[in-house]
Amino acid sequence: MKKKLKHNLLIASATVAISLFFVGSNSNIQAKNYHQAVTKIAGDGNFAVYHRVSKNGPAGKFTSTKYFKHGQIQSKQSLATKKGTFWKIIVDGHPVGWVNQNFFARNEISVAKKVSLVQNSDFSFKTRDAINYVTDSAGTAVNTGKVSVSKASVSSATPGKTTIEYQYGKAKASVDVTVRDDKNEGISRAALTPKNGPKEVATWKGSSKSSSRNWNAAHHYTSETRANTFHANGLTLKTKLFQPRFVSLGYHEAGDQMGQVGVIPEGISVNGPDFTVALFKSSHDQNGHLVTYNLNHVNKFTAQNLANLKWSTFKRYAANIKVSPYIKLGHGQAIGSSADYIYVIANNNTASNSSASEEILQIRKSDMKINQIWSFRIWSGAFPRYIHNATFDGDNTMYCLFHNGGNGYYEYWKVTRNGDTWTPEEVGATKGNFVSNHSPVQGFTYDSNRKQFYIGFNDYIFRVDQNGTYKKTYHFNVKREIEGLSAAGNKLYVEFAQRGELTAGQIK
């Protein structure tokens, strides 16, 4: 009997030991598991990252959260221990380790510092547009639609200030929304005679007709291993960066709408070493993420494999890739940047020529959060110019492209900021439609050194002087859509779709 009892005790002890071993090895035992990931929001502090946890606490410290706080953080597993609750985090799609729940921004609503609106009776500001993120008591991101807001919208018809209060559980925030008092702000005159444009060219309508070598089902969307060189009429573009398909967990794993980063690029900006791209789950979305890569610290091929990089390489890359919260970006193709900020017009690309104002988001590069929001308008007398494509030259100037389809010409507008006021001035115009099938503009940028615009349609780029004088056409014949243009220094940067590929060429 004693031998049998001893035998049973040994079995029980072994079972407990095995159970504890598997908890420490990140198994499902004693942990809360999520079939799909939740999105987590980093707080300001730095915390240790551990290999293992058990009911007694963490073990095997091997790195710090300081390398990962600006990445896309997700989790499928948490564990309550004697030393607090720990979450196993995945950053930019790469498994990392276990961190204390105190690392996350808990019970917090992050909003823009201020919102300033141009006076316009045809526009009301949706107050949830000012939200960066909302978190619950565990630091998990919450759909902004669940937030209680004191007013769902603010009309910009009458000057004045309205304080908007936000609340979700214990989390609270507020922002002042001010309507500016100049009723004529944004009203100018389109009076320039359009310059002669190029002969219209034929191109396809719809999505790309081709892809990079491996971006297809036959090659299982594997990584590219050879750089490209594209030539067109004296402009040579070379691969600068092949981007990852996702900067997060992929399809069916990113469980909430805030989680998936990718797979559709829609606009780019390059300033110094910083390359920013707007990414969406689908081309119909109005909300998405901005991702900024430090081009000095990422290899043109290696970044494609974020989820599978060896640890030392991933840690270095994670510190040089920043992901914004899931925010309203409009179509994402009216974008630019300065040394410290990213600027996006959060427009509606399905609006043909609305009289509504449009929102400019100023986003801090330091933490990828909305700093402030302005609305602006461009009207020629009583006739609105709703902007689909724009670029920014520093912090106080943007250039906007407007297509007058009825009269068949393009207008170029310079809009200058003084304080919170945005003043438009027409600087040029070009006759014609550039392409023959009404295919939309897919890239627009301004070369401030030469005072020239670049306009992209599918795999065509047109170069035009600031006053609208047509200069040159570049046709790369790669049958991949151009998804963004950016002029910086002496280089023109061009983003191609499928796979997202940043190329660069010398401007002559």
Side-chain angles (χ1 to χ4, degrees):
M1 185 68 181
K2 286 183 179 180
K3 287 179 70 176
K4 187 175 181 180
L5 179 60
K6 184 177 180 180
H7 177 71
N8 289 341
L9 286 172
L10 285 171
I11 292 174
S13 298
T15 302
V16 170
I18 290 169
S19 297
L20 289 176
F21 170 79
F22 279 116
V23 171
S25 299
N26 307 338
S27 81
N28 298 337
I29 299 172
Q30 294 192 22
K32 289 183 179 179
N33 297 284
Y34 305 88
H35 178 65
Q36 294 178 315
V38 294
T39 301
K40 309 295 288 185
I41 303 295
D44 295 328
N46 294 320
F47 287 77
V49 182
Y50 299 91
H51 283 301
R52 302 174 298 279
V53 292
S54 71
K55 66 178 182 180
N56 293 319
K61 173 184 173 181
F62 69 101
T63 190
S64 166
T65 57
K66 69 180 180 181
Y67 301 103
F68 313 110
K69 62 197 324 179
H70 297 306
Q72 178 69 350
I73 304 173
Q74 296 168 284
S75 182
K76 290 186 172 185
Q77 193 173 20
S78 67
L79 180 67
T81 78
K82 291 180 179 179
K83 295 185 177 180
T85 298
F86 285 77
W87 291 75
K88 188 178 183 182
I89 60 171
I90 302 157
V91 180
D92 300 341
H94 192 292
V96 174
W98 293 86
V99 298
N100 191 294
Q101 184 168 277
N102 291 332
F103 164 59
F104 305 117
R106 298 183 296 145
N107 293 316
E108 187 172 301
I109 302 175
S110 170
V111 295
K113 290 182 178 178
K114 71 173 185 178
V115 178
S116 177
L117 308 178
V118 65
Q119 194 176 152
N120 181 5
S121 58
D122 293 337
F123 177 74
S124 291
F125 174 73
K126 295 180 180 178
T127 53
R128 285 185 172 83
D129 290 357
I131 298 175
N132 284 300
Y133 60 77
V134 182
T135 62
D136 62 15
S137 59
T140 299
V142 175
N143 188 317
T144 58
K146 297 180 179 181
V147 177
S148 173
V149 184
S150 56
K151 289 189 72 173
S153 63
V154 175
S155 170
S156 60
T158 305
K161 182 174 74 174
T162 304
T163 299
I164 303 300
E165 304 286 349
Y166 304 86
Q167 184 169 0
Y168 178 82
K170 296 180 179 179
K172 295 180 180 180
S174 65
V175 65
D176 289 335
V177 179
T178 302
V179 179
R180 303 191 288 274
D181 58 9
D182 183 357
K183 65 180 181 180
N184 293 316
E185 181 187 336
I187 299 176
S188 184
R189 182 66 61 183
L192 297 179
T193 301
K195 305 290 186 181
N196 290 328
K199 181 181 178 181
E200 292 181 4
V201 299
T203 185
W204 74 87
K205 195 168 186 178
S207 60
S208 294
K209 302 304 178 185
S210 186
S211 68
S212 58
R213 295 177 185 91
N214 296 331
W215 183 269
N216 47 63
H219 292 88
H220 308 290
Y221 301 95
T222 53
S223 298
E224 304 298 334
T225 57
R226 286 188 289 160
N228 288 313
T229 300
F230 303 131
H231 301 282
N233 200 11
L235 177 61
T236 298
L237 300 176
K238 295 185 177 181
T239 303
K240 191 75 174 175
L241 179 68
F242 284 114
Q243 292 134 60
R245 195 178 186 199
F246 301 101
V247 191
S248 66
L249 292 171
Y251 294 126
H252 313 303
E253 291 186 279
D256 56 59
Q257 65 174 351
M258 298 151 286
Q260 182 179 310
V261 183
V263 64
I264 305 294
E266 288 290 2
I268 67 165
S269 179
V270 178
N271 189 287
D274 297 326
F275 160 54
T276 300
V277 57
L279 290 176
F280 298 82
K281 290 178 68 175
S282 88
S283 58
H284 304 293
D285 289 346
Q286 293 282 308
N287 283 56
H289 299 85
L290 297 173
V291 179
T292 296
Y293 300 84
N294 185 325
L295 294 176
N296 289 341
H297 295 282
V298 294
N299 175 272
K300 69 179 66 174
F301 300 111
T302 308
Q304 297 173 91
N305 301 297
L306 286 177
N308 300 309
L309 292 180
K310 68 178 184 179
W311 176 249
S312 59
T313 304
F314 174 72
K315 187 169 76 168
R316 186 172 72 252
Y317 272 50
N320 288 285
I321 299 173
K322 293 182 177 180
V323 182
S324 79
Y326 181 74
I327 55 177
K328 181 180 177 181
L329 296 173
H331 191 47
Q333 287 193 337
I335 186 172
S337 58
S338 66
D340 298 319
Y341 297 101
I342 302 161
Y343 294 87
V344 179
I345 298 179
N347 54 13
N348 179 359
N349 69 310
T350 64
S352 56
N353 192 24
S354 170
S355 59
S357 305
E358 298 178 74
E359 298 168 27
I360 301 171
L361 310 183
Q362 183 192 61
I363 295 152
R364 298 185 294 269
K365 283 186 175 180
S366 59
D367 60 8
M368 302 296 283
K369 298 172 188 173
I370 302 169
N371 188 57
Q372 55 185 321
I373 299 174
W374 300 275
S375 75
F376 78 101
R377 65 176 176 176
I378 300 174
W379 286 15
S380 177
F383 300 97
R385 267 67 175 148
Y386 193 85
I387 301 303
H388 288 186
N389 303 91
T391 187
F392 291 78
D393 185 22
D395 292 299
N396 302 310
T397 306
M398 69 174 173
Y399 289 91
C400 300
L401 178 67
F402 176 75
H403 185 213
N404 190 322
N407 294 320
Y409 61 85
Y410 285 86
E411 298 171 356
Y412 313 96
W413 292 81
K414 179 180 181 181
V415 188
T416 306
R417 178 168 74 94
N418 182 7
D420 290 325
T421 298
W422 294 82
T423 302
E425 172 195 6
E426 187 189 23
V427 293
T430 307
K431 289 181 183 177
N433 298 307
F434 293 99
V435 296
S436 60
N437 66 345
H438 305 292
S439 181
V441 174
Q442 292 166 294
F444 176 67
T445 193
Y446 178 68
D447 174 12
S448 58
N449 293 330
R450 295 162 185 79
K451 300 187 184 308
Q452 293 180 336
F453 298 109
Y454 291 85
I455 308 166
F457 302 79
N458 289 335
D459 55 5
Y460 280 91
I461 297 175
F462 298 88
R463 180 160 60 94
V464 180
D465 275 343
Q466 180 175 292
N467 67 3
T469 301
Y470 163 73
K471 304 298 289 187
K472 213 167 190 179
T473 298
Y474 308 96
H475 182 209
F476 293 95
N477 200 29
V478 294
K479 294 181 172 56
R480 292 164 61 192
E481 292 175 86
I482 290 170
E483 292 290 6
L485 300 174
S486 183
N490 290 317
K491 289 186 177 179
L492 177 67
Y493 293 88
V494 182
E495 173 85 346
F496 288 98
Q498 299 184 182
R499 148 182 321 260
E501 178 184 359
L502 179 67
T503 64
Q506 196 76 18
I507 296 175
K508 297 178 182 179

